[in-house]
Amino acid sequence: MNHKLETYRFSDDGHIPNNILPVILYRQVTKAKDKSEWFENTFKTNGWTNNWRDVIYRCDHFHSTTHEVLGVGKGTVIMHIGGQMGISIEVSAGDVLILPAGTGHSAISEHINYEIVSGYPQGRKWDVLLGTAEERKQAIPRIEKLPVPSEDPVFGKDGELLRLWQ
C-alpha cells in the first residue's frame, strides 16, 4: 500500500510535556470501504487494543500512561497537536496518527461528522490530563518510563514506529 509518512516533534511548552519521540502520521493507509472496521482489526492484530470509536475531545489534553493511535475511520477533522507551540493539521478517512505519550492533542473542527478509531499498545489504560502543575509532577516520570511498543499499530514489525522510536 502506498502511503505518505509525516513526522512532527514538539517540545515541552510548560503545560503539555509532549515527548522526545516524534508524532507519526501515515496518510491514506487503507482504501477499505469500512475504514473504521479495518483500523480496529489492524490495530488489534498488532497488539494495540482497548479500542474505542468516537470523536476527539475539543480541549487540549494528553495521556501519561500510554501511547495512542488514532485512525480516521470516517470524515475529516482538524486537530491541534503539540500543545501551545504545536500545529493544526487536517486528517481524513484513511489517515493514522500515532501519538507518543505526553503529546497534546485536541479537535478544533466545529463539526463532529467524523469517526476516530483508537488503540493503545498492549491495551494499556489511558488517563486524560490537561497539564496542571500537579499533574505534570506525576505525569512526566510515568511518560519517561513507558516502553516503546513492540509493533507499529498499522504495519506491525515492518512499521516506521520501530525505526523512528528506537
Side-chain angles (χ1 to χ4, degrees), residues 24 48 52 56 61-63 66-70 79 96-101 103 105 116-121 126-127 149 153 161 165:
I24 299 170
W48 290 63
W52 53 260
I56 301 290
H61 66 285
F62 67 94
H63 310 296
T66 186
H67 308 296
E68 181 175 39
V69 63
L70 303 172
M79 290 183 59
V96 175
L97 263 173
I98 307 171
L99 303 174
T103 303
H105 56 290
I116 297 291
V117 178
S118 187
Y120 308 88
W126 45 276
D127 55 0
L161 179 144
W165 285 15

Side-chain angles (χ1 to χ4, degrees), residues 30 36-48 152-156:
T30 180
S36 292
E37 187 71 19
W38 188 92
F39 282 134
E40 191 166 328
N41 291 335
T42 300
F43 297 163
K44 285 179 180 176
T45 296
N46 293 314
W48 290 63
D152 181 288
V154 178
F155 300 106

Side-chain angles (χ1 to χ4, degrees), residues 74-94:
K74 298 175 187 165
T76 297
V77 59
I78 299 171
M79 290 183 59
H80 188 80
I81 56 173
Q84 294 173 350
M85 315 277 236
I87 61 167
S88 295
I89 192 163
E90 184 175 89
V91 289
S92 299

Side-chain angles (χ1 to χ4, degrees), residues 102-144:
T103 303
H105 56 290
S106 63
I108 57 175
S109 296
E110 293 289 325
H111 65 81
I112 55 167
N113 58 348
Y114 67 94
E115 182 176 72
I116 297 291
V117 178
S118 187
Y120 308 88
Q122 292 91 44
R124 289 183 178 271
K125 289 187 167 48
W126 45 276
D127 55 0
V128 176
L129 303 179
L130 303 175
T132 66
E134 188 57 38
E135 284 177 344
R136 285 173 54 84
K137 272 187 236 164
Q138 297 168 11
I140 290 173
R142 275 196 301 264
I143 292 166
E144 290 171 348

Side-chain angles (χ1 to χ4, degrees), residues 2-19:
N2 282 344
H3 63 275
K4 184 177 171 201
L5 170 72
E6 300 171 26
T7 60
Y8 302 93
R9 292 183 186 272
F10 304 102
S11 299
D12 188 326
D13 68 10
H15 297 282
I16 304 293
N18 290 302
N19 199 307

